[in-house]
Amino acid sequence: LLRQMPPTARAARAAMGVRRLAAMPLHPQKKFASKYFDVEEVMFADQPEQIVRGGRTLFPKLPAALEGVKQIGVIGWGSQGPAQAQNFRESLEGSDIKVKVGLREGSSSMKAARACGFTEEKGTLGEMYKVISESDMVLLLISDAACVEEYKNVFKALKPRTTLGLSHGFLLGHLESVHEQFPADVDVVLCAPKGMGPSVRRLYEQGREVNGSGINASFAVHQDVTGRATERALAWAVGVGSPYIFQTTLNAEWRSDIFGERCILLGGVHGMIESLFRYYESHGMAAHEAFKTSGEVITGPITRTISHDGIKAVHDNLSPADRQIFKTAYCASYTPSRSIIEECYDSVSSGNEIRDVVMAAKRFDKYPMGCIDNTRTWKVGAEVRKAGGTPEQRKAVPVNPLTAGVYCAMMMAQIDCLYDRGHVYSEIVNESVIESVDSLNPYMHARGVSYMVDNCSVTARLGSRKWAPRFDYILTEQAFPAIDAKAAPDEALFQRFLAHPVHDMLKTCSSLRPSVDISVS
């Protein structure tokens, strides 16, 4: 396979130090076309990919792209449901397409949906199975565990030639594990915004003033019965406010998404900040300074630098002396982080994490998820936020090179793992970098780890709680002792970082970046 690659692709693989190829083609490069939205080809390093640019100027095209759809049923009111229902409704104003929310009879979320303008009197709120049965397009946004419990009833309620929409491929992963399939007489499409629901809504609202503000999304067509699945998936992504839309597959999405949130996006950064805070305190730093040097540095200036200028800029912006500290920390942290990251990917890809989520949900009545910001780290963090001014003012904290090296090492280890497993560039940078710095980290910076993690899906919340301690331990046990012992850096490893193809990928992504930073205040 490597011999069949063009020379530039072989060079990129070599630069990443790849040791194996993916066992399956997660992302076959199938060209897609659209009658209503312009499709562009862009280069991510050596790899061409197709994208669609969104924006409010495209909202008038939505009714035509959704030809045959009179009602869109949004099922669920968790992380994504409120944002997508409100965004799509607003984008379709003036058309004859109705957005109707479907919830369980007696659901406590009925009140919240009504407060957002979805009511029984207007015909925009109803019992979920009735809404499913009468809708031409069904966006199934209930929790992953609920999908597993309810999918057979959902499938029975779907009208033939309906378009079933998912924002996560979790259900496909479960169906594969039990050797079942989606109904053969419906479209199955994906629109996966690269951020939690509150970010999707907040940036859409900002987009009223700045066209192009929003959260990027990936889309996929898994089944196309109507011949209109691609148009409907793209219309959905445009309608919920995505400024740039990338192609993926359901198989690739559920693996990269479940994996990513357990690693650098949520669980990894959570465990890293816990370990760094204790490390700095153990070396004599005062508590507030230790949190600023760990949590504030990561979610403030490092996040902003990566968002605007890429990962390598974090290193390049340091003084020569600090670059050496960065290098030592990077080399000490990369392999320990990579070992947990590889284990996590295997656990996800094998279906183990999906089974864990399903089993955990069955225990919630007796053993609900606990609070994750009760440790000393996060209590000190709350004091720092209270004393430190606005989130923007707190971003002025200077970058600590050791913190920067540890963070960039974990992010790069995740990037290498996904590339090694056959994911395409756009998916790698979205799931490892963009979602982190443009959606999730700003929420932790403004309001703490619990606000970031617990505004995500149940699957993400469970995964963060499970894997954060693993990252905390591996850094404490392996990386920090190597740093303290002044272990000689692995020169080859660090040169791969400096010459890594991801830096060119991120240059491309910076040109596709939403036009404004998210406001969390």
Side-chain angles (χ1 to χ4, degrees), residues 446-490:
R447 302 180 190 177
V449 68
S450 180
Y451 190 75
M452 176 185 73
V453 172
D454 289 335
N455 267 296
C456 295
S457 69
V458 171
T459 299
R461 294 167 66 196
L462 286 167
S464 181
R465 284 163 166 82
K466 176 181 176 180
W467 288 90
R470 298 293 308 282
F471 286 103
D472 181 344
Y473 177 83
I474 203 73
L475 293 173
T476 300
E477 177 69 18
Q478 296 185 19
F480 300 156
I483 292 170
D484 287 343
K486 297 181 171 53
D490 182 334

Side-chain angles (χ1 to χ4, degrees), residues 386-451:
K386 185 175 181 179
T390 67
E392 196 59 35
Q393 289 169 337
R394 290 179 10 248
K395 290 177 185 176
V397 62
V399 172
N400 179 281
L402 190 151
T403 297
V406 174
Y407 184 77
C408 292
M410 187 180 292
M411 183 171 276
M412 295 299 296
Q414 177 166 317
I415 288 167
D416 286 347
C417 177
L418 285 172
Y419 195 90
D420 204 351
R421 302 302 183 109
H423 294 265
V424 295
Y425 292 149
S426 63
E427 187 159 64
I428 292 168
V429 296
N430 272 300
E431 295 288 357
S432 304
V433 184
I434 294 172
E435 187 168 356
S436 177
V437 299
D438 287 341
S439 175
L440 295 168
N441 283 357
Y443 272 78
M444 177 159 55
H445 186 70
R447 302 180 190 177
V449 68
S450 180
Y451 190 75

Side-chain angles (χ1 to χ4, degrees), residues 171-283:
L171 182 55
L172 174 63
H174 173 73
L175 293 176
E176 288 178 345
S177 72
V178 296
H179 309 293
E180 295 185 31
Q181 296 180 332
F182 291 103
D185 59 351
V186 301
D187 295 343
V188 180
V189 302
L190 171 93
C191 168
K194 300 294 109 180
M196 58 177 158
S199 296
V200 174
R201 181 59 181 163
R202 185 71 190 103
L203 278 164
Y204 183 93
E205 291 173 329
Q206 289 177 237
R208 295 180 189 134
E209 284 74 46
V210 183
N211 185 44
S213 172
I215 289 285
N216 291 342
S218 56
F219 90 98
V221 174
H222 190 71
Q223 287 182 188
D224 187 0
V225 172
T226 64
R228 303 197 58 80
T230 297
E231 302 291 10
R232 291 178 180 180
L234 292 172
W236 177 12
V238 170
V240 298
S242 301
Y244 296 97
I245 303 154
F246 305 85
Q247 186 185 27
T248 186
T249 67
L250 258 68
N251 258 316
E253 192 281 334
W254 73 257
R255 286 172 169 83
S256 63
D257 187 80
I258 296 175
F259 160 76
E261 64 203 17
R262 280 150 176 74
C263 297
I264 195 65
L265 300 183
L266 297 173
V269 70
H270 177 183
M272 182 192 303
I273 291 173
E274 290 269 13
S275 64
L276 281 168
F277 173 80
R278 292 196 314 275
Y279 175 80
Y280 289 129
E281 271 207 319
S282 72
H283 284 65

